[in-house]
Amino acid sequence: MTEKSFLVPPNTEIRLSEYDPDSTRECRDRGEAAEELETNVQRLQELQTVLYAEGKHSLLVVLQAMDAGGKDGTIRHVMGRLNPQGVHVASFKAPTRRELAHDFLWRIHQHTPGRGEIAVFNRSHYEDVLVVRVHNMVPESVWRARYDHINAFERLLADSGVTILKFYLHISKTEQKERFEKRLRDPRKNWKFARGDLRERKLWENYMGAFEEALSRCSTRNAPWHIIPADKKWYRNLIVSRILVQALESLDMSYPPGEPNLDQVSIPD
Ligand code: ATP
Ligand code: MG
């Protein structure tokens, strides 16, 4: 299998079978990855502080994956040491009646990051072209129109100063089986398993088709998708952390200046 770049270029037809979920390219081993992850996490802490202090930009991280794909683990290992005051994690479950009474982006928009903030979406508006499509929850004409709605919505956010990074955590069907088996065997993980997950697993190919279309149609310059090989958790964390650091560094942020003549201030006893 040829190695593909993580970034999905705009207007590119994606075939997930061409992406190896078990790839660990550009990294010699786990130990090396752990060291670099630590460096990246520390760098992210610094970058978050400047983001917050400067108050100009914001960051939106979107995580999508099949069940047991590692969304939670990525949040814990990569984002878990950021200052919670500046981070908002939003997990999107099946919509409530009230949410369903609105357009599909209504519940999403309220969780987008304000200036200086980071928002992490554990599942997102993409569910409305994934699970909704796979289960025919709305007519095809309705979900088909959503790719354009999503692109327009993300353009609005980007035009408003939000840096958007989207990650599809790509696991193999075999890896999912192993993770489910662990959830069944380990009493501390039982709560993570739902019989309904097996129903979704049966629809694996349909989900792959739905992901392919979302990745192909909704990766834009200002809101790119990345396909992250995610069978190896340590590699997944490493690559996501790298991409976050690069994106925040490219914003060229700086601390705001203090009040004038601070060098003349002395603190009274
Ligand atoms: P875990 O990985 O810990 O199981 P999870 O994100 O799978 O976490 P669950 O409560 O198990 O959380 O599942 C949430 C469910 O909500 C998923 O099956 C998802 O597809 C579904 N969901 C999310 N958004 C929508 C939507 N817009 N319409 C219908 N279903 C949705
Ligand atoms: Mg689940």
Side-chain angles (χ1 to χ4, degrees), residues 159-171:
D159 287 350
S160 313
V162 184
T163 295
I164 307 169
L165 296 171
K166 300 179 294 195
F167 297 97
Y168 165 61
L169 309 178
H170 186 37
I171 57 163

Side-chain angles (χ1 to χ4, degrees), residues 16-83:
L16 283 170
S17 57
E18 293 173 0
Y19 288 78
D20 179 8
D22 201 32
S23 162
T24 55
R25 70 180 186 274
E26 291 173 39
C27 184
R28 275 209 306 272
D29 58 42
R30 228 186 143 102
E32 189 177 289
E35 268 175 44
E36 191 195 323
L37 177 65
E38 178 58 29
T39 309
N40 292 347
V41 166
Q42 288 183 21
R43 182 76 187 119
L44 280 177
Q45 291 175 323
E46 287 165 26
L47 287 160
Q48 181 199 14
T49 310
V50 195
L51 180 93
Y52 187 80
E54 193 188 47
K56 268 194 205 161
H57 304 274
S58 38
L59 175 67
L60 171 60
V61 178
V62 172
L63 295 173
Q64 286 287 165
M66 292 298 284
D67 286 310
K71 301 183 302 311
D72 291 343
T74 306
I75 295 172
R76 248 179 314 116
H77 292 286
V78 182
M79 268 78 79
R81 276 156 57 198
L82 295 177
N83 178 353

Side-chain angles (χ1 to χ4, degrees), residues 153-255:
F153 172 62
E154 293 179 352
R155 192 171 64 244
L156 167 68
L157 298 180
D159 287 350
S160 313
V162 184
T163 295
I164 307 169
L165 296 171
K166 300 179 294 195
F167 297 97
Y168 165 61
L169 309 178
H170 186 37
I171 57 163
S172 63
K173 204 173 171 190
T174 321
E175 178 65 21
Q176 189 195 50
K177 181 170 195 235
E178 279 170 27
R179 292 186 188 181
F180 279 169
E181 281 169 350
K182 248 185 221 145
R183 289 177 178 193
L184 284 172
R185 274 199 310 270
D186 184 346
R188 290 167 309 178
K189 291 194 172 170
N190 284 172
W191 64 277
K192 280 193 166 202
F193 184 82
R195 283 192 165 78
D197 293 348
L198 299 183
R199 201 178 52 227
E200 303 311 306
R201 179 174 164 80
K202 280 205 188 119
L203 298 166
W204 187 274
E205 285 313 315
N206 304 29
Y207 270 105
M208 290 305 110
F211 269 114
E212 282 171 345
E213 187 151 5
L215 293 163
S216 304
R217 295 192 57 182
C218 299
S219 193
T220 56
R221 205 174 62 80
N222 286 319
W225 269 112
H226 301 82
I227 299 172
I228 307 297
D231 274 5
K232 296 215 166 45
K233 297 172 181 176
W234 55 267
Y235 187 70
R236 166 201 82 199
N237 294 338
L238 174 69
I239 301 303
V240 172
S241 72
R242 243 189 225 171
I243 294 170
L244 293 181
V245 167
Q246 281 164 5
L248 287 175
E249 277 180 343
S250 74
L251 293 177
D252 218 5
M253 300 178 288
S254 52
Y255 286 99

